[in-house]
Structures are given as C-alpha cells and as structure tokens.
Amino acid sequence: MTNMILSSAHVQFLLWGATWTLALSAIAMAGGGLIGFVVALSRISPLRIVRVLALLYVQLIQGTPLLVLIFLIFFGLPGLGWDVSALGAASAALIVWVGAYLGEIWRGCIQAVPRAQWEAAECLALTRAQRMRYAILPQAVKIATPPTVGFLVQLVKNTSLASVVGFVELARAGQILNNTLFQPFLIYLIIAGLYFLMCYPLSVLSRRLETRVGYSRRKMMTA
Amino acid sequence: MFQLDYSALLPYWQQLWDGALMTIQLAALSIVTGFVFGTLCAIARRSNVRWLSRLCAIYVESIRNTPFLIQIFVVYFGLASLGLSLSAFTVAAAALAINVGAYSAEIMRAGFGSIPQGQIEAGESLSLSKVQIYWHVMLLPAIERVYPALTSQFVLLMLGSSVASQISAEEVTAVTNYVQSATFRAFESYTVLAAIYLALSFLMRLTFWLLGLVIFPRRRRLRTPI
C-alpha cells in the first residue's frame, strides 16, 4: 500500500478538471438555454402540431436518464457513420437534456405571469410577438431566475456523467488520480468537496433570489 | 450503408428483462427507505434540538450539492478501502436511498411548512398527542400537498439508478453495456435501453397516480387540491 499524499501537481490536475466541469456546464447552458427557450415558446404555441412536438421532445428526454443519452450519442452515433469525440458527445447530450428541463421550467414561468398582464397587452393591440417581447417575457425572466439558478446546480452535478465516456473533467480527474494514489475514500471526498464548493453558492443564491422574487411577485399581483 | 438490425438483440431479451427488474427493485427499495429516512430528517429539522436539526441540514445540503456519481464512488470504493466490502447491489441501494432521502427531506420540509399553524393549534386544543398531531394533522396533509413533487423526484431517482452501472451493479444499463459490447450494435442497444427507461418512468407515474387515489380518499371524493 503506497502512502503518498497529494502533491501540488495533483491539486493542479484536479483544478484543471474543475475548469472543464465549469466549461462543460457553460457549453450545455448556452446550447440548452437556446433549445429551452424555443421549447418553452413552442409548448404554448397556438399551433397544435408545434405544441405536441415540443411536448413529445420533453417527455422523451425527461423519461430517459442522461447517462443513456450520453451512451447513445458516444457509442451509438459512430455506428451510424458519425464520429464523435468525448467532449462532443457529452456536450450534445447535456445540451439536449438541459433543453428539455429548462424548456419545461421556463414554460411554467411564462404561464405564471398573471393573466391580467396578458389581457392588458392584448387590450393595447399588441401583436402576439410584441406581447411576448414587451409584456410577458420581461416579467417571466424575473420569475424564471431563481429556478434557473437552481437548475444550474443540477447541471454542474450532472456534468460528472461525462466522465463515463472518458472526458477528463473533475470526476474523471479524480478517478485518474485515484488510479495512481489508491486512496479512494480521501480522493472522492475531496472531489465531492470541490463539487460542493461550486454548487452550494448557486443553491444559496437561488434560495435568496426566490424570497426576493416572491416578494416582488406579491406586489405585482396586488398592484 | 449502415442498416439498423434490432434482431441481433433478441437473444439477450431475458438478460435485459432481468436488468429491468433489478432497476425496479433498486428504485423501490431505495424509495421506501429513503422516503422514511428523509421524512424523519424533515421532522428532525423542525425540532428544537439544535444539534440534531443542524446535522440534518448538513446532510441535506451536502447530498444535494454533490453529484450522485461521486456519492456512489465514495460509498463503494471508500468503504472497500476501509475494509468493508459490500455487494454492488447493496451499495447502489444504500447510495440511492441516501440520495433520495436528502431530496425527500427538503420536499417534506416544504410540505410541513405549508400546514397552517392554526390547524396544529386546533389539534392541540382537541388534546391530540404530539404523535397524533404529527400523523393526522401534519404528515398526511403534507404528503398530499407535495405528492406531485415527490413523484417527480422518485422518477428522477429511478432514472438516476442508471449510474449504478458504474459500480457494476447488474441493473438494466449495465446489462445493455454488456449487450452492446457483445453484439457491436451500440445504437440499437441504447435506443432499446432508452425505450425501457421511458416505459419504466411511464409505469412509475401511473403507479404513483393510482397509489395517490388509494392513499388520499379525500382528494378522490372531492376532487380538489388540499
């Protein structure tokens, strides 16, 4: 049994992994946010076919584990003739996954804008696009901020699944380190601690925003 | 040109079926234990015993802010390195239960928080005991109120059990990994796997909906939210 302790090179390696965790989260958030926005609008579209398609997408993705999505893209697509890198597969799976969840969250937020606001916008003879752009979305963004920040926690955590296809982010870096040091308990606890450092501030922020938005929403309802 | 060939998977249907059953077992076991544990945690967080509620808060926050993959590694490899080696199934069930316990604790805490103080006082003035108040006035109405959130969380847990394949618990994802490497039909294998999970999550929602009708007769009769 070797009894090595963490050297600064090891710590640096872990921090390198952590940067990739954050980068992967950013990629997934950017791409998934775009899809989520489209999905949210499609879910309340006046066209039935658009609504059904968006619902189908959401149900399909929310009914399958992210791990299976990653496997499907990383191992499945090369069989169909598309080669994908580990980073490409992980990003694509995460983007698709984030799109489904954020789409559903944001739809709820758009629909949570008080009915009177929709009617008022209609009374001002705004077109549907203008209503969304000037009346509904700005208010929906306010409502959507806390749950979106809360969802970021899920996202940062779930980037750890990219490690299963060999992409070196924090979880994978921990595994590699463990293969040389053989101290799984210590190393995985450190990894868990690093994830906690990334996620906990987001959790706290989300909770804080929630109380603040809750307050301003109550004012909005009674005004 | 590549052609889809699902017939290559046919010889493995028995293994996939067993894997799916194992996934259901894992989910059921960890949901029951995790939910009971989480509810006790939520009660403990409301108690006046400072260190106990603090401890529960630490448990909930540390589980909710770390990935399940790492949690399962800590339990599996960590315990093994400390000399305690358990089967992959036991570890997976335990890790899942610990995980869902933290989430249900938070959901149940919200449920308890939504019970109006006046109802608890009403229970007290009817001279109900503390246990009776918790059971009749707080627990059951709280569960009824957060039932949809609990259902979603439990479905997420079932999907999350796929991560147990990483410590080689023989649930359906691990089985599919094996089938995939034996048949070289990766795309077919994983689409079948996705379909299995879709069916499982649909079945689970259906089960919980039916269960809700049985557990909450008030809602069934009146058809109104509490």
Side-chain angles (χ1 to χ4, degrees):
Chain A
M1 196 76 176
T2 45
N3 237 340
M4 281 166 70
I5 39 162
L6 284 174
S7 70
S8 68
H10 294 144
V11 175
Q12 236 169 26
F13 182 57
L14 285 184
L15 290 182
W16 169 249
T19 347
W20 268 111
T21 290
L22 292 177
L24 202 54
S25 309
I27 294 171
M29 190 59 197
L34 219 62
I35 296 184
F37 185 66
V38 174
V39 168
L41 289 181
S42 307
R43 286 276 279 119
I44 52 170
S45 153
L47 292 173
R48 194 189 160 85
I49 176 79
V50 176
R51 281 203 307 269
V52 171
L53 281 178
L55 181 67
L56 215 63
Y57 168 73
V58 169
Q59 293 294 326
L60 216 64
I61 300 299
Q62 291 198 349
T64 29
L66 176 59
L67 189 64
V68 174
L69 290 178
I70 294 177
F71 280 151
L72 189 61
I73 294 177
F74 187 72
F75 295 116
L77 289 191
L80 299 184
W82 286 309
D83 262 327
V84 267
S85 63
L87 174 62
S91 325
L94 278 166
I95 286 173
V96 169
W97 179 81
V98 169
Y101 279 87
L102 271 190
E104 206 56 6
I105 293 173
W106 287 348
R107 174 194 57 89
C109 295
I110 292 176
Q111 287 180 329
V113 173
R115 198 75 226 155
Q117 300 283 336
W118 295 73
E119 285 158 6
E122 238 175 298
C123 289
L124 290 171
L126 299 179
T127 64
R128 193 181 160 80
Q130 286 172 329
R131 263 185 345 244
M132 278 293 168
R133 167 75 185 79
Y134 296 110
I136 307 303
L137 287 184
Q139 301 184 71
V141 165
K142 233 183 195 174
I143 305 171
T145 312
T148 307
V149 174
F151 180 76
L152 271 178
V153 178
Q154 307 293 324
L155 174 56
V156 172
K157 286 193 302 181
N158 277 327
T159 55
S160 65
L161 292 180
S163 66
V164 298
V165 291
F167 179 69
V168 184
E169 35 65 75
L170 186 49
R172 184 80 193 133
Q175 284 176 323
I176 293 171
L177 203 57
N178 182 39
N179 289 343
T180 62
L181 295 181
F182 304 111
Q183 289 180 325
F185 199 58
L186 174 73
I187 289 172
Y188 288 128
L189 276 184
I190 292 174
I191 302 293
L194 286 174
Y195 273 109
F196 186 83
L197 284 181
M198 288 190 265
C199 294
Y200 188 63
L202 289 172
S203 296
V204 173
L205 179 66
S206 164
R207 223 169 301 156
R208 250 191 227 153
L209 286 169
E210 215 163 296
T211 41
R212 198 181 308 165
V213 172
Y215 173 71
S216 66
R217 268 208 79 197
R218 272 194 298 282
K219 270 201 334 204
M220 196 157 81
M221 298 281 239
T222 50
Chain B
M1 185 56 208
F2 180 83
Q3 282 203 318
L4 289 178
D5 176 18
Y6 282 92
S7 62
L9 303 180
L10 273 179
Y12 298 95
W13 78 268
Q14 179 69 45
Q15 272 143 296
L16 286 171
W17 174 255
D18 290 344
L21 286 185
M22 166 92 72
T23 294
I24 295 173
Q25 266 176 26
L26 261 182
L29 195 66
S30 49
I31 285 170
V32 172
T33 45
F35 176 65
V36 172
F37 185 64
T39 308
L40 289 176
C41 233
I43 293 173
R45 272 193 92 169
R46 292 177 63 89
S47 80
N48 294 325
V49 189
R50 194 65 183 278
W51 65 267
L52 191 62
S53 68
R54 250 336 227 302
L55 196 68
C56 285
I58 291 173
Y59 157 67
V60 168
E61 289 302 332
S62 56
I63 294 298
R64 278 165 50 98
N65 288 297
T66 50
F68 178 60
L69 183 71
I70 301 297
Q71 290 163 13
I72 209 168
F73 280 167
V74 168
V75 179
Y76 191 62
F77 298 115
L79 286 187
S81 76
L82 297 180
L84 191 66
S85 64
L86 300 164
S87 76
F89 180 85
T90 319
V91 170
L96 281 166
I98 292 172
N99 186 270
V100 79
Y103 285 94
S104 8
E106 204 60 3
I107 294 174
M108 286 309 292
R109 195 165 72 104
F112 287 140
S114 72
I115 306 291
Q117 195 59 36
Q119 291 199 10
I120 299 169
E121 282 160 14
E124 277 163 0
S125 47
L126 288 171
S127 78
L128 295 181
S129 71
K130 213 164 178 179
V131 176
Q132 282 175 320
I133 288 180
Y134 250 111
W135 185 262
H136 296 289
V137 183
M138 298 190 65
L139 188 61
L140 293 178
I143 294 179
E144 184 168 346
R145 226 169 267 189
V146 296
Y147 195 67
L150 281 176
T151 306
S152 300
Q153 193 58 52
F154 293 159
V155 171
L156 277 179
L157 168 98
M158 188 275 292
L159 297 178
S161 73
S162 62
V163 175
S165 64
Q166 295 305 306
I167 58 165
S168 64
E170 285 298 308
E171 45 71 69
V172 71
T173 305
V175 171
T176 310
N177 284 339
Y178 164 72
V179 170
Q180 183 262 133
S181 60
T183 59
F184 298 109
R185 291 281 165 191
F187 189 79
E188 290 89 334
S189 307
Y190 289 118
T191 41
V192 167
L193 179 61
I196 291 175
Y197 273 111
L198 266 177
L200 283 181
S201 52
F202 174 74
L203 272 179
M204 226 172 127
R205 285 194 182 278
L206 188 71
T207 314
F208 272 93
W209 178 72
L210 289 173
L211 208 66
L213 291 183
V214 178
I215 312 175
F216 310 119
R218 190 204 62 80
R219 181 151 78 179
R220 193 177 61 229
R221 278 198 304 272
L222 301 179
R223 296 187 184 286
T224 53
I226 197 165

